Amino acid sequence: MHLKSFAKTSFLIAAAMLLILEKSYSQEISIDLGPSEMALNQYFTITVTVQNDRLRSYDEFPEISGFVKRGTSSSTSTNFINGKMSSTQSITQNYAPQREGSFRLQPFTITVNGEKFKSDGQIIKVGPPVNARRQQADPFGIDPFEDFFGRKSTPNEFVDIKDEAFLALTTDKDEVFVGEGFTTTLAFYVAEENKAPLQFYELGKQLTDIVKKVKPANTWEENYNIENVQKEPVTINGKRYSQYKLYQATYYPLNLDDIKFPSVGLELIKYKVAKNPTFFGQNRMEDYKTFSSKEKVVAVKDLPPHPLKQTVPVGKYRLQEEISSTELNTGDSFNYSFIVAGEGNISAINKPQVAQSKAFDFYDPNVKQSVNRNNGKVRGTKTFSYFGIPNEPGGYKLSDYFQMVFFNPEEAKYDTLKSRVELVVKGESRRNEYISSSDLGSFYDRIGLEENTLVKLSSAGSSRIFANVFILIMLALTAALYVKRK
């Protein structure tokens, strides 16, 4: 029984090892570069070939200075030799030279099926144009297996299929107040009925340039930082589309200038398909198409008249409060938080102006804010945490001290956030304590009783004359005594 179990286990381990070894040795991947010398009217190529496996994924091919990419082609072959099947699949990137000369293809690394492969690159010499031979006339149209069935194939013809897709820049509002936020979305839309094969091309690089053109001046931006472009189903005018959000941000106008978004273009790879597809041959050809958005203008209007209209925050806000205690003794400290929450430009909210009073000592607040960007809205909180000390006993409403005026754009009117907290303060008044702590002594107490009229020194002339006469008399007597002694 034990021998059978051991034999079975050994067989399974051996089979697994054979499968691993077969997988590791069966797949062969190679990178082939085109000729080092070529004519100006010929293509240079880089070909990635996978044997005995499927070409599941591959990186973008490198750029070559002096060349431009001119589409890709792919091929697949399957052979049966001695009853054993082998397959080969390749993808070729074509490069068209822009001028004659010597060019350097720098060493590069490309990831194929999750594995990295290196190429040392090479020097490419481009000479004058030559007469194109028939087999070089169309790098996409030749069936690599034209003699497979004992016949000669003719170059394939590729046709352009009409696409049902568009690029659009939209805003959730066409008119806003100054300081009011509106959300801008740049997205690519593809209809469910679309038959044209499309693919994004160098999306990150293109979006960097597009955002520079789209972002308006004199606005505060809250960017949604889309990192992964994902498909979302949407319905437009009763027709279903797949939406690919490329960029989204909420803007807050800082002045009365209208916000103008220019038309921007996004280049995609659009494949042409073979008019007469074959089993083994190339059935589609890579091409490019630029989709452009329409211009968009958002009008900006001024706030209604108000003494504080230049400084009030704009948005839909509500007040939240926190306090350490509502029953206090004079001299005891307490913490109070004035929390503004809602939808709007949270960063633009300034601390409330606190009314000054001898009944309390309030110190400058600590400020903390939290901003959440989700579903095309910017929401958050801004917390102003105050430290206070009551000086006088009694009952107090903090609404007499803490208020914030804001403008609600949905209702087009001003509103005020007022504290709802009431305090009860017990104990002795700290007024005398304050006075005694500020007593500077009897010398300073007498200052208030003395006359503060300025007196010129020249007004005391008689006193000065008497003093001078007295000094002269004393000098004369001294001189007389001195002479008598001699």
Side-chain angles (χ1 to χ4, degrees):
M1 190 70 177
H2 292 288
L3 289 174
K4 287 183 179 180
S5 176
F6 176 76
K8 184 177 181 181
T9 303
S10 300
F11 174 78
L12 291 175
I13 294 174
M17 291 297 292
L18 286 173
L19 287 173
I20 294 172
L21 288 172
E22 181 180 357
K23 182 176 181 180
S24 61
Y25 285 105
S26 60
Q27 174 181 287
E28 295 182 9
I29 298 178
S30 61
I31 302 175
D32 298 315
L33 306 180
S36 58
E37 295 184 4
M38 57 178 294
L40 184 60
N41 58 343
Q42 294 176 337
Y43 285 108
F44 179 79
T45 60
I46 299 178
T47 302
V48 174
T49 303
V50 178
Q51 293 184 352
N52 300 322
D53 198 359
R54 184 170 59 87
L55 182 59
R56 298 185 298 275
S57 63
Y58 61 92
D59 270 352
E60 190 172 313
F61 284 87
E63 301 289 338
I64 305 177
S65 177
F67 291 74
V68 293
K69 293 179 179 179
R70 280 290 184 265
T72 61
S73 59
S74 62
S75 63
T76 304
S77 65
T78 304
N79 297 319
F80 292 89
I81 302 175
N82 296 327
K84 191 173 183 180
M85 184 185 75
S86 63
S87 64
T88 301
Q89 187 173 358
S90 64
I91 183 78
T92 299
Q93 176 67 60
N94 297 276
Y95 296 85
Q98 298 298 289
R99 63 184 184 277
E100 297 179 25
S102 182
F103 304 92
R104 172 67 174 169
L105 169 59
Q106 300 293 339
F108 65 91
T109 301
I110 188 169
T111 302
V112 182
N113 290 352
E115 297 183 32
K116 292 185 177 181
F117 297 89
K118 294 183 178 180
S119 173
D120 295 332
Q122 70 179 35
I123 299 295
I124 309 169
K125 295 181 179 180
V126 179
V130 297
N131 293 329
R133 291 175 293 179
R134 182 179 179 184
Q135 56 267 32
Q136 293 178 333
D138 185 358
F140 301 105
I142 302 299
D143 189 338
F145 305 98
E146 58 186 8
D147 292 323
F148 190 80
F149 296 105
R151 62 179 176 82
K152 195 75 172 179
S153 64
T154 59
N156 211 337
E157 181 182 354
F158 294 90
V159 294
D160 186 16
I161 299 178
K162 183 179 179 181
D163 54 76
E164 296 185 70
F166 62 93
L167 178 70
L169 186 146
T170 59
T171 60
D172 62 343
K173 300 172 185 176
D174 295 326
E175 185 181 56
V176 294
F177 286 98
V178 61
E180 179 186 359
F182 65 94
T183 300
T184 302
T185 303
L186 179 68
F188 188 69
Y189 298 84
V190 182
E192 285 189 352
E193 294 82 4
N194 176 67
K195 302 298 182 183
L198 298 169
Q199 181 179 322
F200 288 118
Y201 169 70
E202 294 185 349
L203 187 57
K205 180 180 178 181
Q206 290 194 74
L207 283 179
T208 300
D209 296 333
I210 289 174
V211 171
K212 291 179 181 178
K213 297 177 183 178
V214 167
K215 184 178 179 181
N218 301 318
T219 61
W220 177 273
E221 179 193 36
E222 290 289 348
N223 195 326
Y224 290 78
N225 296 318
I226 297 175
E227 297 181 355
N228 298 316
V229 178
Q230 298 180 346
K231 180 174 68 174
E232 297 180 15
V234 296
T235 301
I236 303 175
N237 297 328
K239 190 173 183 177
R240 294 185 61 82
Y241 288 83
S242 293
Q243 181 195 54
Y244 298 86
K245 285 184 182 179
L246 307 177
Y247 173 76
Q248 191 172 49
T250 296
Y251 293 109
Y252 299 89
L254 302 179
N255 57 30
L256 293 175
D257 294 339
D258 290 344
I259 308 300
K260 299 178 181 180
F261 296 99
S263 173
V264 293
L266 180 69
E267 189 177 37
L268 273 77
I269 298 174
K270 180 182 178 182
Y271 293 95
K272 293 182 178 180
V273 299
K275 188 174 182 180
N276 299 306
T278 62
F279 182 74
F280 290 108
Q282 171 67 16
N283 289 324
R284 67 178 186 175
M285 181 178 70
E286 190 175 274
D287 199 2
Y288 298 90
K289 179 177 179 178
T290 299
F291 294 83
S292 298
S293 65
K294 295 180 180 180
E295 295 181 354
K296 178 71 177 179
V297 177
V298 176
V300 181
K301 53 187 178 180
D302 199 4
L303 300 182
H306 190 279
L308 301 175
K309 90 170 188 177
Q310 300 297 331
T311 59
V312 297
V314 178
K316 294 170 55 181
Y317 298 118
R318 63 186 183 279
L319 177 62
Q320 300 174 357
E321 298 176 276
E322 294 178 359
I323 192 167
S324 56
S325 177
T326 56
E327 295 184 0
L328 304 166
N329 291 320
T330 54
D332 291 346
S333 63
F334 67 97
N335 295 310
Y336 170 69
S337 294
F338 189 93
I339 306 170
V340 182
E343 179 183 332
N345 189 0
I346 304 298
S347 301
I349 300 175
N350 296 319
K351 65 180 181 180
Q353 297 297 322
V354 181
Q356 298 297 319
S357 171
K358 294 181 179 180
F360 291 93
D361 291 331
F362 290 111
Y363 298 87
D364 281 341
N366 295 321
V367 183
K368 180 177 67 175
Q369 75 176 26
S370 174
V371 179
N372 180 34
R373 309 168 193 87
N374 191 26
N375 295 326
K377 301 292 183 182
V378 178
R379 302 179 179 89
T381 60
K382 196 156 191 175
T383 302
F384 302 93
S385 299
Y386 290 87
F387 179 81
I389 299 176
N391 296 320
E392 299 293 333
Y396 299 93
K397 294 181 178 180
L398 287 189
S399 59
D400 295 334
Y401 302 91
F402 294 92
Q403 295 185 6
M404 176 178 285
V405 179
F406 70 99
F407 181 77
N408 187 329
E410 285 194 358
E411 298 181 2
K413 67 177 184 179
Y414 293 92
D415 203 346
T416 304
L417 300 178
K418 295 183 179 181
S419 174
R420 296 179 296 274
V421 174
E422 296 185 6
L423 296 181
V424 176
V425 180
K426 300 178 181 179
E428 299 294 330
S429 171
R430 299 183 68 214
R431 182 181 305 172
N432 295 333
E433 179 183 337
Y434 175 79
I435 294 174
S436 62
S437 65
S438 60
D439 187 2
L440 300 178
S442 59
F443 174 80
Y444 291 95
D445 292 341
R446 292 178 59 189
I447 290 178
L449 303 177
E450 296 295 331
E451 184 179 357
N452 60 357
T453 304
L454 294 176
V455 178
K456 293 184 179 180
L457 293 176
S458 59
S459 63
S462 58
S463 298
R464 183 178 295 177
I465 294 172
F466 176 80
N468 291 336
V469 171
F470 178 77
I471 292 172
L472 289 172
I473 293 173
M474 293 300 295
L475 288 174
L477 290 175
T478 301
L481 290 174
Y482 179 76
V483 171
K484 187 177 181 181
R485 287 184 179 182
K486 289 292 185 177

